[in-house]
Amino acid sequence: MSIWRSINERIYWSLLLVFPYGFRRTNRDEMMAVFRHHWELSRFPRTPRVWWLVAVDAAQVLPHEWAFSFAELYRHMKQTNWFTVPAQLANEFKFGLRSLVRKPGHLAIAMLSLALGIGFNIVIFTVINGLVLQPLPFNGASRLAYVVKQHNTEGWITSPDREVVRVLSEEEEFFEVVEPYSSSTLTMLGGSEPRVVFAISVSETFMANFGVTPLLGRGFIPGDSDAAETSIVLSEHLWRSAFGEDRAIIGRTLEFEGEEYLVLGVVAGNFRMAMTGTPDAWMLHGEDPGQTAVLARLTPGTTIQAASSRAAAIGAGLEEQEGLSGEDWTEKVVAPPAFLGNEFTRTLWVLLAAVGLVFLIACSNLANLTLAKGLSRFQELGVRRALGASRLQVVRLFMVESAILSVMGGTLGLLLAHWGLSMVQRIRPAYVSALDFVTIGPRIWLAAFGISAIAAILFGLLPAFRLGGADFNPSLRSGSRFSSGTSGDRKARKALVAAEVALALPLTIAAGLMARTVYESTHQDFGIALDGLISADVPLPDDRYGDEGVRGAFWAQLSDGLEASQLIESFAVTSFAPPRFSILFGEPEVENLTLSGAAQAMVYTIPSPPGYLEMAGTAVLHGRSFVAEDASQDVVIVNEAFAKRFASGADAVGRRLKYAGESDNRWHTIVGVVQNVVGTAGADAADRIQIYSPTTSARGGKVLLRSGAPIEMVLPVLKSLVWAIDPEVPIRQMVSVRKNFMDIFGRQRFAATLFASFGLVGLLLSAIGIHGVVALSVNQRLPELGVRMVFGAKTGNLARTVLVDGLGPVVVGAMIGLGASVALVRLVPEGLVGTPHLDPAMTTGLTLSLLAVGALACLGPLIKAIRLDPATVLRSD
Amino acid sequence: MAELPDLTNSMFFILLALADEPRHGLGIVDEVRTQTDGRVKMGPALLYSSLKRLSRLKFVRPAAKPTAEADPRRKYYRITDAGRRALSAHGRLWETAVEIAKNKQALG
């Protein structure tokens, strides 16, 4: 029965928390005694009797005691002379500052922990806020949505049919505004050299409908499309970069692709469109917007789901009526962030979680530090309490220090965040260009200081509460300079170190896994020899090069020039630069062959002028490469994946295939099989069918070059060659093909780089924590160690004592961290980590290096212990 | 009668328990219990809340430990002169009340 009694006693003990602090503090021991007394004397049934008594008892007393407690507080506040508070605070501030500065090591570590924890969080949060959370800069942004058409099984997104859009815009119950727009790249003349601008074409009501505000001049208004002159609105950044902020630009005419455009205005800010990025210029589209994105604003109260099902219904209805595109596609309404790509958004959330771990590590460091600091000030606080300082005053002392620390840490954190954001922008995946326009605004400033203050106050108060009410008599009496806390405190500090290690290890392991995935992806055989391969965009303006013969003449002339150049080893004129290929929906049909397995919904077709394969370095495995005569023949070359799917190996050569769809109904003879080339879909599409077709280079647009010289030297050569033929043809995006291939893995590389830096910082912070604990424990044990030395303990024994003390929690933390890693790796989205299981060699390696870091952190205190002079230690206590 | 202090039942019984000798909290509960044959049971919170109020009214005050072997952790209380006056005033009031009740045969 005594176990049952002690359980009840414990329950009563914790229930005492309902009483005000003062009452509880003075009486709780005796109240427990009375409780026990009642328990012993109660008749059967004891438990309900006692608890009934206790409940009635508490109900009688509680209101009175709380009223009393508040009355006391009120009296205290009334008695406070508020005029002296500023002076007191100033005094405390001075004192706090002095006590912080007195221990510069502690101050530096606390600030660094706060700053790192906060800085990283600000960076990632800013990115998420700017890209995902913050609405687009439009009127009624929270109700914005895109109307799209999505493939039911593959998830591809494309523009909805024009007819569907027209019907939707009449659905006033669901949609306030439906505005299709299209984007295009145009060549702008008039600057120092031809320049390609990214323009979007909108209706004349678009700007008014969505609240696009002009910085200079005006935006489009109804009637503009009927005006005599075609007009254009520039974006702020084009105006700044190309026209040097010239205010006289309004009313000038600019030439785009041979047409004159009147500049109406400049629109403010970095105006971003979720689907198409940031436009350089805005134009009007006519009746037919062309290939479109459809931006809509829903009516208030309409949910995305409701609008989406309405759109799907309309789409399905129209399909039946008019036989529009097949049943595989569904019209949908989606929120703008979805366009960032779910994978990138998910990556960002994972990064936020990771950075949250870093923050936790920083916090436990802070707690550890303040605990240690509080302990070393035990005596000082004891004197203060003895001289009549109230508990509140002691707590306030800690609070002031925390406040100072939080402001300093917050400031440093913000500086770090500004630097970190620019680093993040530098390593961003190429396709997330909107990231460049993300900035750390005043609201995030406030949040930073808020978080900083919460962290500092929370962890500043922890020791304040532990020490504020502690019994200082023993420490005053003993007068020992070694007194530093109870065994409970030491345990708490060790637990904190273990927690830090347990948090840091999964971060490090995740970083390692990601780094390995990125390494493997970027060092695989791409199917193309990347060394010295350069691609350049040479788009021929349609107005003068609409005719195939004219284009052919241009490319022939350019080819002669390239051939003559010393710098360029080989070249090809084509219309797609790897890893980007033309996409064809549907699998080809092979003559006299039925196929097993699921059909591929998408195949790559690669225009391949004679010599292209040799120049790209793609190996021919079976059959032959293209020759000049093939251009007029119906022949193709396929890749290994095709050969595997349709016929085994060499059997593919000689078979005939027909493309899916209606556009090309001829049979094409397979003349060769080449190795797979990695495409933009990366490893996800390693088995995608690729079909090379021979072309003359009439269409062109991309020039592939191979040269031993760097791009900076090749570019002027190409420029002079092109502009010798036609000075109004632009050259853009001259990049190494290697960079384009690396960009495929941009997201993974981005995540891996950030994870690696988080892991490193986590390790660093843990090392600091370990060092602190070991140093303190060595300090505490100096007399003991001294005595041991006197009695002949070997240096090795002392070292072992210190190491066990320091590394114990590290080992425990590492074990917990390993367990957590096994569990967590499964949660990380696929594609971030190549194989969703731990690689034993790497995991062991990383764990060992973490232990090594821990051992390194013990080194300083260890040396101190070994070099100990027992006589000095014993004399001084 | 005019200065009759405002005593709750539990405060009255505490003063009553302290009337002969100083006691600690548990001793008070015990004394009240035995004297009333277990009819008045005082809960821990009510006991210390009432003691606090009595201390503020200066009716009880902390007392030295009565014997050397007494538990040093226990706080002892003793009744003050003001406490005695209040107790007897209240006692007389109850006496009167009981008499009236008997006359009216209200006690059954």
Side-chain angles (χ1 to χ4, degrees), chain A residues 388-693:
Chain A
S390 71
R391 185 160 162 274
L392 194 71
Q393 278 168 322
V394 171
V395 170
R396 211 161 63 184
L397 212 64
F398 277 102
M399 292 245 309
V400 169
E401 273 181 41
S402 295
I404 298 172
L405 200 62
S406 72
V407 170
M408 288 161 83
T411 312
L412 196 64
L414 268 178
L415 288 177
L416 210 68
H418 273 282
W419 174 81
L421 187 62
S422 66
M423 290 318 268
V424 166
Q425 281 164 347
R426 197 170 305 167
I427 61 167
R428 71 169 164 79
Y431 68 97
V432 194
S433 58
L435 193 55
D436 291 349
F437 298 108
V438 167
T439 50
I440 298 176
R443 256 191 292 181
I444 294 189
W445 276 51
L446 275 182
F449 281 111
I451 298 169
S452 177
I454 290 171
I457 287 173
L458 215 62
F459 294 101
L461 283 192
L462 186 84
F465 274 114
R466 277 202 52 73
L467 299 177
D471 181 9
F472 292 93
N473 280 338
S475 76
L476 281 182
R477 232 178 286 139
S478 79
S480 165
R481 70 186 177 93
F482 296 116
S483 72
S484 31
T486 60
S487 75
D489 287 323
R490 269 203 300 277
K491 271 186 202 149
R493 302 195 59 206
K494 283 187 175 175
L496 281 172
V497 166
E500 281 179 44
V501 172
L503 291 171
L505 190 59
L507 273 183
T508 324
I509 288 179
L513 283 177
M514 287 181 194
R516 193 195 53 189
T517 308
V518 170
Y519 181 86
E520 281 170 1
S521 325
T522 50
H523 286 76
Q524 63 181 314
D525 183 4
F526 288 105
I528 280 188
L530 296 178
D531 287 328
L533 200 59
I534 298 167
S535 85
D537 236 8
V538 186
L540 297 183
D542 272 342
D543 56 327
R544 281 176 295 120
Y545 290 92
D547 181 59
E548 204 167 304
V550 183
R551 282 204 300 267
F554 177 90
W555 294 123
Q557 215 175 333
L558 182 62
S559 299
D560 290 344
L562 289 169
E563 207 133 355
S565 165
Q566 300 281 315
L567 215 56
I568 290 154
E569 291 160 20
S570 54
F571 67 91
V573 174
T574 174
S575 33
F576 283 88
R580 280 179 201 87
F581 306 116
S582 171
I583 287 164
L584 196 68
F585 292 109
E587 204 169 50
E589 181 189 337
V590 183
E591 202 175 23
N592 302 329
L593 204 65
T594 19
L595 305 160
S596 55
Q600 292 189 5
M602 197 191 243
V603 301
Y604 286 141
T605 61
I606 306 170
S608 168
Y612 167 85
L613 285 168
E614 289 75 9
M615 146 0 66
T618 307
V620 178
L621 303 174
H622 307 287
R624 61 173 177 88
S625 178
F626 287 131
V627 291
E629 295 77 54
D630 286 337
S632 53
Q633 306 291 313
D634 289 335
V635 292
V636 290
I637 289 177
V638 297
N639 68 337
E640 265 181 291
F642 179 97
K644 245 185 213 143
R645 169 127 174 74
F646 288 94
S648 54
D651 291 354
V653 178
R655 285 189 183 276
R656 300 206 299 164
L657 65 79
K658 191 152 78 172
Y659 290 115
E662 306 292 311
S663 53
D664 187 354
N665 260 325
R666 289 163 301 166
W667 288 102
H668 300 266
T669 309
I670 299 171
V671 296
V673 177
V674 294
Q675 68 180 123
N676 293 341
V677 173
V678 173
T680 40
D684 295 344
D687 58 350
R688 183 163 293 165
I689 291 170
Q690 299 166 341
I691 302 172
Y692 294 79
S693 57

Side-chain angles (χ1 to χ4, degrees), chain A residues 25-357:
Chain A
R25 182 112 200 137
T26 34
N27 298 320
R28 65 178 167 204
D29 292 331
E30 308 218 6
M31 284 168 79
M32 280 309 296
V34 174
F35 178 82
R36 212 168 290 137
H37 181 76
H38 280 299
W39 184 269
E40 275 159 14
L41 294 182
S42 276
R43 287 195 314 271
F44 181 84
R46 175 186 283 168
T47 314
R49 265 179 203 280
V50 172
W51 282 109
W52 174 249
L53 177 86
V54 164
V56 171
D57 178 49
Q60 271 176 305
V61 174
L62 270 178
H64 177 84
E65 284 302 328
W66 276 109
F68 177 77
S69 169
F70 280 114
E72 283 280 272
L73 189 68
Y74 177 68
R75 210 157 45 88
H76 179 82
M77 281 171 66
K78 246 172 81 178
Q79 280 172 356
T80 308
N81 185 350
W82 291 103
F83 287 107
T84 63
V85 168
Q88 268 181 41
L89 272 180
N91 222 353
E92 276 160 6
F93 180 80
K94 249 192 297 186
F95 185 84
L97 208 58
R98 218 175 328 151
S99 81
L100 281 174
V101 170
R102 201 164 42 203
K103 293 210 163 169
H106 273 186
L107 178 64
I109 292 170
M111 282 206 8
L112 202 67
S113 298
L114 260 179
L116 285 172
I118 290 168
F120 273 125
N121 271 283
I122 294 179
V123 172
I124 300 302
F125 183 74
T126 305
V127 171
I128 289 186
N129 184 43
L131 295 185
V132 183
L133 301 181
Q134 224 173 50
L136 292 172
F138 293 94
N139 276 349
S142 60
R143 288 181 279 127
L144 279 190
Y146 277 94
V147 183
V148 297
K149 193 168 71 175
Q150 191 170 32
H151 193 273
N152 290 340
T153 51
E154 302 288 329
W156 304 315
I157 282 176
T158 175
S159 14
D161 295 301
R162 211 155 302 150
E163 189 55 22
V164 175
V165 176
R166 198 190 56 72
V167 176
L168 280 182
S169 61
E170 286 160 9
E171 292 280 316
E172 283 170 6
E173 190 192 330
F174 292 90
F175 299 96
E176 233 171 54
V177 174
V178 177
E179 289 275 6
Y181 67 89
S182 59
S183 53
S184 53
T185 46
L186 298 168
T187 316
M188 181 178 81
L189 297 178
S192 56
E193 56 184 63
R195 185 181 169 122
V196 171
V197 297
F198 172 63
I200 67 169
S201 305
V202 297
S203 77
E204 45 190 26
T205 50
F206 187 99
M207 289 190 158
N209 272 339
F210 290 118
V212 181
T213 46
L215 192 74
L216 277 185
R218 64 175 177 86
F220 296 123
I221 50 169
D224 277 347
S225 38
D226 302 328
E229 282 166 306
T230 339
S231 43
I232 193 165
V233 172
L234 304 181
S235 75
E236 190 183 351
H237 60 98
L238 181 67
W239 175 59
R240 287 190 197 285
S241 60
F243 299 101
E245 305 184 21
D246 180 9
R247 290 181 166 267
I249 189 79
I250 309 298
R252 252 178 69 182
T253 13
L254 299 174
E255 196 188 328
F256 287 85
E257 311 252 306
E259 260 187 77
E260 304 268 298
Y261 286 83
L262 176 71
V263 179
L264 283 183
V266 174
V267 274
N270 300 315
F271 207 94
R272 72 199 158 90
M273 313 280 287
M275 198 164 188
T276 38
T278 312
D280 297 315
W282 303 64
M283 325 177 91
L284 288 172
H285 59 60
E287 286 295 298
D288 176 11
Q291 177 79 8
T292 51
V294 181
L295 187 60
R297 189 167 62 226
L298 307 181
T299 49
T302 303
T303 60
I304 296 255
Q305 286 79 8
S308 199
S309 45
R310 184 75 200 131
I314 287 172
L318 282 175
E319 260 164 41
E320 273 183 26
Q321 274 178 34
E322 315 194 4
L324 288 178
S325 72
E327 64 261 28
D328 288 346
W329 298 81
T330 309
E331 275 72 14
K332 272 192 176 159
V333 176
V334 296
F339 276 100
L340 212 59
N342 284 331
E343 260 128 28
F344 190 70
T345 316
R346 237 184 354 225
T347 305
L348 286 179
W349 288 115
V350 170
L351 284 171
L352 189 68
V355 97
L357 290 187

Side-chain angles (χ1 to χ4, degrees), chain A residues 785-795 797-798:
Chain A
L785 295 176
V787 170
R788 283 204 198 184
M789 273 189 133
V790 169
F791 283 103
K794 297 240 168 51
T795 317
N797 289 342
L798 291 186

Side-chain angles (χ1 to χ4, degrees), chain A residues 12 19 23 26-27 29-35 37-38 41-43 49 53-54 57-58 60-61 64-65 68, chain B residues 10 24-26 29-31 33 38 41-50 52-53 56 73-77:
Chain A
Y12 185 64
F19 292 102
F23 183 76
T26 34
N27 298 320
D29 292 331
E30 308 218 6
M31 284 168 79
M32 280 309 296
V34 174
F35 178 82
H37 181 76
H38 280 299
L41 294 182
S42 276
R43 287 195 314 271
R49 265 179 203 280
L53 177 86
V54 164
D57 178 49
Q60 271 176 305
V61 174
H64 177 84
E65 284 302 328
F68 177 77
Chain B
S10 49
H24 53 68
L26 196 55
V29 176
D30 222 15
E31 170 73 4
R33 192 188 181 105
K41 279 185 226 161
M42 210 173 286
L46 188 57
L47 169 71
Y48 289 100
S49 181
S50 306
K52 195 168 95 180
R53 285 156 84 181
R56 239 176 311 132
R73 284 172 309 178
R74 297 243 182 275
K75 263 186 258 163
Y76 281 77
Y77 300 88

Side-chain angles (χ1 to χ4, degrees), chain A residues 384 427 447 552 619 683 766:
Chain A
R384 278 174 183 273
I427 61 167
S766 319

